[in-house]
Amino acid sequence: MLELAILGLLQETPMHGYELRKELATKLGTIRAAISYGTLYPTLKRLRTAGWITESESDPTMIPPMTSKRGRVVYKITADGKERFADLLAQAGPETYDDAGFGVHFAFFSRTDRATRLRILEGRRRRVEERREGLRDVLSRAAGRLDAYTLELQRHGLDAAEREVRWLEELITNERSGRAPAGTAGELDIPSAEPPPQRTAGDASPEPPRPHQDRP
């Protein structure tokens, strides 16, 4: 799944290794993107060996000071890499239903065709429903044998599974009807970044009179 994420990001623009790591955290979230350089760079090397990316030295004035030699390398996707990314994006097998696989594929849903999105969403829903039923079974059979904290943990997992099933059902309904998710950027209630309008002299309200103070 790291391969898919790297190729997807490099298709947007060439990047240094440290930029890739930062963008992975932004794209996938902090939980899925707890990626160390020990994991990232071997994957980059494998992609380069396969001919899916290239690397070159960057202008030393364009990188932060104290960056290692490895961090100065710029990675760029190749034509073969773009084909590989398209192939990975079209996959909708069981590996895309697990937590990590689903998260990475979902992050690139805007570049995925609707039929593939729908198959992944339906597969993920089945996977989470199985998890939900397993948690329900544990709570019904073993609740009396669990301590309070373990019981609370199981309930928390069940609540999370139920919420995700409802979320997935909403996404599936939207996909089938051709609607975008409700939380698209154009529909989010985001405060305007524009500064407030400046008052003109005619609009300015007069300052209230200052109270008179007697001199001692």
Side-chain angles (χ1 to χ4, degrees):
M1 290 303 146
L2 183 56
E3 176 184 320
L4 170 63
I6 290 172
L7 292 175
L9 289 174
L10 291 181
Q11 186 154 296
E12 297 173 1
T13 183
M15 295 185 191
H16 298 88
Y18 66 86
E19 289 177 318
L20 268 171
R21 192 180 182 207
K22 182 174 67 175
E23 289 302 317
L24 285 168
T26 301
K27 191 77 170 176
L28 308 180
T30 55
I31 295 176
R32 295 187 181 94
I35 298 169
S36 67
Y37 284 108
T39 303
L40 177 60
Y41 282 103
T43 304
L44 288 169
K45 182 178 179 180
R46 180 170 58 82
L47 296 179
R48 181 176 59 83
T49 302
W52 296 328
I53 64 173
T54 60
E55 60 180 45
S56 60
E57 288 285 336
S58 64
D59 183 349
T61 64
M62 302 298 293
I63 58 176
M66 306 302 292
T67 304
S68 66
K69 181 179 178 180
R70 185 171 61 178
R72 294 196 293 268
V73 173
V74 176
Y75 298 93
K76 182 178 180 180
I77 193 169
T78 64
D80 288 341
K82 292 179 180 180
E83 291 183 7
R84 174 61 176 171
F85 174 69
D87 290 341
L88 292 172
L89 211 58
Q91 293 179 3
E95 70 279 358
T96 65
Y97 311 155
D98 296 331
D99 291 346
F102 176 75
V104 174
H105 274 268
F106 192 82
F108 293 98
F109 259 22
S110 62
R111 306 190 210 173
T112 308
D113 65 87
R114 189 170 72 175
T116 301
R117 292 197 303 261
L118 191 56
R119 288 197 299 272
I120 293 175
L121 289 170
E122 290 174 340
R124 174 64 178 179
R125 181 179 61 180
R126 290 192 299 271
R127 185 64 53 84
V128 179
E129 284 174 339
E130 292 171 358
R131 182 187 303 169
R132 180 190 63 185
E133 296 310 310
L135 290 167
R136 284 177 176 173
D137 185 57
V138 168
L139 287 171
S140 65
R141 291 188 298 103
R145 302 194 303 272
L146 299 176
D147 63 80
Y149 293 100
T150 303
L151 183 61
E152 192 62 26
L153 184 62
Q154 296 296 322
R155 287 173 176 166
H156 173 71
L158 179 57
D159 288 344
E162 289 176 339
R163 286 195 303 271
E164 184 170 355
V165 168
R166 291 194 297 269
W167 174 66
L168 289 166
E169 287 175 344
E170 180 179 352
L171 289 172
I172 289 169
T173 299
N174 288 338
E175 288 292 340
R176 287 174 175 167
S177 61
R179 295 196 305 268
T184 54
E187 298 173 356
L188 290 176
D189 186 16
I190 301 175
S192 172
E194 297 180 359
Q198 298 294 326
R199 290 191 176 193
T200 63
D203 294 334
S205 300
E207 293 185 359
R210 296 180 180 178
H212 176 74
Q213 294 182 353
D214 294 331
R215 293 184 178 181

